[in-house]
Amino acid sequence: MIRPSLPLLIMLVATGAGLPLPSSSQPPAAETPYTPNRADTCLMCHSTPEVLGIFRTKHAAPGDPRSPFGHGQLQCESCHGPGGLHATMQQVDGKMAQVIRFGKGSGASVEAQNGACVGCHTADTGFAAHGGAHEDNNVTCAGCHQLHSTTDAVLATQTQAGKCYACHTQRRSDSFKAYSHPLREGKMSCTGCHSPHGSTTEKLLVRQTTNDTCYQCHAEKRGPFLWEHAPVAEDCATCHDPHGSNQPGMLVRRAPLLCQSCHSQSGHPSIAQDAGGLAGGTPSQFLLGQSCMNCHSQVHGSNHPSGSKLMR
């Protein structure tokens, strides 16, 4: 046996020659062979513009060792699995052998599809993705993301909402109400408030509470205030519907009905009184226009020394 000289060994280690390829590049030996020519084999049949679009994305960057098309990687088969049997049209259980297909109409399980993505994108999912709403409803990564397209609609602010609305149809309806956040206009994205890859909060919020999520934009409502309004400090959604409302300010109900759901109107100037000082049950002019906010204008809180009633 001819042993290489020490200088030759040093050169081999320095250049990386003779070292084993990454585990993802090592084809398993027997039952699931890989194609000999990788993508060249696949493109002999699959050469439509939809497929070739991947060469204009990050997934096909040859200079990036993390890319499926990086040096020594398995190219198409990094995601779609070994395609040796499929390329030679062999039969498996009486049917033509298949590789992993993604999205609607795929015969592969949700676990198989998502496993191909999570094998690389572990940092993008995190532990909260397991057992989350999307996983419980068998949502696949390819159900939201487009890998062979130069522009992934769900990653762009202008088009993301339309992608989410494909499943969240009630939120699409809310966006057409008279008052809503500018999602349809492409000025705001769903991921500004929600974390689709998982969160420890009930509604997959990007912050731990509803209020902290709202304060990302509405910082002036954070306070602290000398005179607080209890529902403001507790939960913005007590009064507001963030996905859209037919009431001004995206309120869940129009004032004074919203205010009176907590505040009793008995003995209040909003009810006209008779000569004896008893409430007559007839709403007064104070309920017109801004209603309660005609007087209580600082409804989110006040720092005025005399603002205990949120009037200044």
Side-chain angles (χ1 to χ4, degrees):
M1 178 178 178
I2 301 176
R3 299 180 179 276
S5 62
L6 181 59
L8 179 58
L9 284 173
I10 295 174
M11 182 181 69
L12 289 174
V13 172
T15 59
L19 296 178
L21 291 172
S23 58
S24 62
S25 303
Q26 297 289 342
E31 61 267 20
T32 53
Y34 286 74
T35 59
N37 297 318
R38 304 290 187 264
D40 290 339
T41 303
C42 305
L43 294 175
M44 292 176 64
C45 297
H46 305 284
S47 58
T48 61
E50 292 78 10
V51 174
L52 296 178
I54 195 170
F55 292 104
R56 296 189 293 272
T57 70
K58 294 181 179 179
H59 283 89
D64 188 349
R66 303 169 300 172
S67 165
F69 281 77
H71 176 69
Q73 299 299 321
L74 297 172
Q75 300 179 0
C76 303
E77 293 164 286
S78 294
C79 301
H80 292 278
L85 298 179
H86 176 73
T88 54
M89 299 184 181
Q90 297 189 36
Q91 297 281 322
V92 175
D93 296 331
K95 299 180 180 179
M96 180 178 172
Q98 297 292 326
V99 295
I100 299 175
R101 292 179 57 199
F102 297 91
K104 294 181 178 180
S106 172
S109 65
V110 174
E111 291 76 12
Q113 294 184 58
N114 290 351
C117 304
V118 177
C120 293
H121 297 279
T122 52
D124 295 334
T125 52
F127 75 93
H130 303 289
H134 283 133
E135 184 179 70
D136 289 346
N137 288 278
N138 293 323
V139 177
T140 63
C141 303
C144 300
H145 294 280
Q146 296 173 300
L147 305 187
H148 284 254
S149 175
T150 54
T151 56
D152 190 354
V154 79
L155 296 182
T157 300
Q158 294 80 3
T159 54
Q160 184 187 95
K163 195 70 176 180
C164 299
Y165 288 156
C167 295
H168 302 279
T169 53
Q170 178 59 47
R171 301 312 174 199
R172 179 195 294 273
S173 298
D174 290 339
S175 71
F176 283 96
K177 291 181 179 178
Y179 302 90
S180 64
H181 282 113
L183 290 166
R184 289 188 299 105
E185 293 79 1
K187 298 179 180 180
M188 185 177 174
S189 64
C190 302
T191 52
C193 300
H194 299 281
S195 178
H197 292 137
S199 170
T200 56
T201 61
E202 181 181 1
K203 300 297 183 181
L204 300 181
L205 297 176
V206 296
R207 303 294 183 188
Q208 287 302 308
T209 66
T210 300
N211 283 17
D212 285 341
T213 304
C214 299
Y215 292 156
Q216 292 180 108
C217 297
H218 305 282
E220 76 282 2
K221 304 297 189 295
R222 182 191 297 271
F225 295 108
L226 178 62
W227 307 102
E228 287 187 339
H229 191 190
V232 176
E234 293 170 0
D235 190 347
C236 301
T238 302
C239 299
H240 299 279
D241 187 339
H243 293 105
S245 169
N246 285 323
Q247 317 302 336
M250 291 191 288
L251 296 176
V252 295
R253 301 175 72 184
R254 187 179 291 272
L257 299 179
L258 175 62
C259 305
Q260 290 170 354
S261 63
C262 294
H263 301 281
S264 172
Q265 55 187 326
S266 178
H268 192 273
S270 63
I271 295 296
Q273 299 178 352
D274 60 20
L278 299 176
T282 303
S284 74
Q285 61 182 351
F286 292 107
L287 294 183
L288 300 177
Q290 291 292 318
S291 187
C292 303
M293 289 175 284
N294 282 330
C295 300
H296 304 281
S297 59
Q298 304 303 311
V299 68
H300 289 101
S302 172
N303 283 320
H304 194 282
S306 301
S308 61
K309 301 302 182 183
L310 307 180
M311 299 176 70
R312 59 183 70 185

